Amino acid sequence: MSDIRIRKTRRTGRITLNRPKALNALTYQMALQIEDALDVWAQDDEVACVLIDAAGEKAFCAGGDLTAMYESASKGDYDYGRRFWADEYRLNAKIFEFPKPYLAFCQGFTMGGGVGVSLHGSHRVVCESSRIAMPECGVGLVPDVGGSLLLARAPGRLGEYLGLTAHRMDASDALLAGFADYYIPQANWAALIESIEETGDHTAIDAAAEDPPDGTLMANRQRIDDTFAGATAADILRGLGDDELAEATTRAIRRNSPLSVACTVELVRRVRAFESIRPALEMEYRFTSRSASQGDFIEGIRAMIIDKDRTPNWQHESVEAVPHMDMVNMLMPLGDAGLWASMPEESTG
């Protein structure tokens, strides 16, 4: 069985992630196949729009398949991971810039790499089971695949909150934070998708949209905005307080890599100055390309995915113990090794 189904169905370019037992985790090869299809469909006048969905009920895509990167990096080979991230980020940029409507139907878990292949599209559909998150700090990374731009564009300080806590947004939360555009009950998806395939008319999504059930973020908006305005991650932690919500938020942040947490606050705030995805991806790549050689990526993947003991031995004891220069060094420009500088001109748009 193929990990991904790519085909043209009447007026629509169709992509279906097809690894339901693996929560449709995105492999390197899957990313390359999606990019190849988009390059063809962008020039195909018969294709009016592109629609991506996924098999199974539990997840649209729970993230990128990081096992191969761990295996190579743990042996001292960092080039494979850097190549994977560079190619994946190029795909994320092409989705953001795609010249035709790009429709994403995201049920269940949509996290990490799954966000990158769906939520930069023009029409982002969620349902009652949707749970969207950016959990990268928990494995020694930072919100990437263009996720830093989504976080930077979220209202108020929701971006900092979502990036540091990996809060799982339901449909209402995702709409509030700008990670989704439409709530449509999943029972209505099959008929809607069939209609779009037949006609290529993406405006059918607008007609099918409904109001979502109440979420959780709205009730805490003001407090999040006040607390997560702290200048640094350490300042944010100091300002959380000691009630039940504060304690839960503190636990969520402190289970993550301290270096990743410190860098995520800085990353989101730098990306707020950008209007397009490419400089955001460049900034993310500064960190991810160093994450195995200088950061906590190898230990994070070991603890969370390989051994699953969930007791990572991070290189810093706490967020407060991260020297400012360690954060600066992770986000320094890469020069000729930078994301777009290292790609052939035809790959950069």
Side-chain angles (χ1 to χ4, degrees), residues 88-157:
E88 185 180 20
Y89 294 177
R90 185 179 65 239
L91 169 62
N92 303 145
K94 287 186 176 182
I95 293 171
F96 184 91
E97 298 165 352
F98 198 66
K100 301 177 182 181
Y102 186 98
L103 324 177
F105 285 71
C106 302
Q107 80 281 9
F109 294 116
T110 302
M111 302 190 292
V115 169
V117 296
S118 60
L119 303 187
H120 299 307
S122 59
H123 295 69
R124 304 164 299 174
V125 178
V126 290
C127 65
E128 60 275 17
S129 72
S130 299
R131 295 295 181 269
I132 297 172
M134 298 300 296
E136 289 79 4
C137 287
V139 292
L141 296 173
V142 292
D144 68 334
V145 295
S148 66
L149 184 65
L150 293 168
L151 294 174
R153 290 180 168 182
R157 298 294 179 174

Side-chain angles (χ1 to χ4, degrees), residues 278-305:
R278 287 179 181 263
L281 291 166
E282 171 72 40
M283 190 74 65
E284 295 168 4
Y285 186 71
R286 293 179 186 181
F287 185 100
T288 55
S289 69
R290 296 175 169 121
S291 61
S293 58
Q294 297 173 232
D296 285 321
F297 173 71
I298 296 175
E299 177 61 11
I301 297 299
R302 181 207 64 76
M304 303 302 174
I305 297 177

Side-chain angles (χ1 to χ4, degrees), residues 60-293:
F60 167 78
C61 175
D65 189 338
L66 303 176
T67 304
M69 280 196 279
Y70 167 82
E71 291 174 350
S72 61
S74 61
K75 297 174 183 175
D77 175 9
Y78 308 125
D79 288 340
Y80 174 82
R82 289 167 180 157
R83 189 167 64 251
F84 182 111
W85 277 308
D87 289 343
E88 185 180 20
Y89 294 177
R90 185 179 65 239
L91 169 62
N92 303 145
K94 287 186 176 182
I95 293 171
F96 184 91
E97 298 165 352
F98 198 66
K100 301 177 182 181
Y102 186 98
L103 324 177
F105 285 71
C106 302
Q107 80 281 9
F109 294 116
T110 302
M111 302 190 292
V115 169
V117 296
S118 60
L119 303 187
H120 299 307
S122 59
H123 295 69
R124 304 164 299 174
V125 178
V126 290
C127 65
E128 60 275 17
S129 72
S130 299
R131 295 295 181 269
I132 297 172
M134 298 300 296
E136 289 79 4
C137 287
V139 292
L141 296 173
V142 292
D144 68 334
V145 295
S148 66
L149 184 65
L150 293 168
L151 294 174
R153 290 180 168 182
R157 298 294 179 174
L158 288 181
E160 287 93 333
Y161 172 77
L162 295 169
L164 297 189
T165 65
H167 171 79
R168 291 180 178 178
M169 293 177 274
D170 59 21
S172 178
D173 291 344
L175 290 164
L176 171 65
F179 277 65
D181 304 301
Y182 304 92
Y183 171 79
I184 301 175
Q186 192 171 359
N188 300 342
W189 284 13
L192 175 60
I193 290 173
E194 184 177 356
S195 170
I196 293 170
E197 287 178 334
E198 184 67 38
T199 65
D201 182 8
H202 63 277
T203 64
I205 290 177
D206 296 86
E210 301 181 9
D211 292 329
D214 291 339
T216 58
L217 279 185
M218 181 61 78
N220 298 313
R221 263 297 309 278
Q222 190 58 56
R223 184 168 179 186
I224 289 171
D225 286 352
D226 292 343
T227 304
F228 282 78
T232 65
D235 291 331
I236 290 170
L237 282 164
R238 279 191 288 270
L240 281 173
D242 57 6
D243 63 6
E244 185 176 349
L245 176 61
E247 290 176 0
T249 303
T250 299
R251 286 195 302 272
I253 296 173
R254 289 205 183 277
R255 72 169 62 104
N256 295 328
S257 158
L259 180 62
S260 295
V261 167
C263 289
T264 293
V265 174
E266 179 70 13
L267 174 65
V268 170
R269 291 176 179 175
R270 290 191 193 185
V271 172
R272 283 205 173 103
F274 303 148
E275 296 183 359
S276 65
I277 197 171
R278 287 179 181 263
L281 291 166
E282 171 72 40
M283 190 74 65
E284 295 168 4
Y285 186 71
R286 293 179 186 181
F287 185 100
T288 55
S289 69
R290 296 175 169 121
S291 61
S293 58

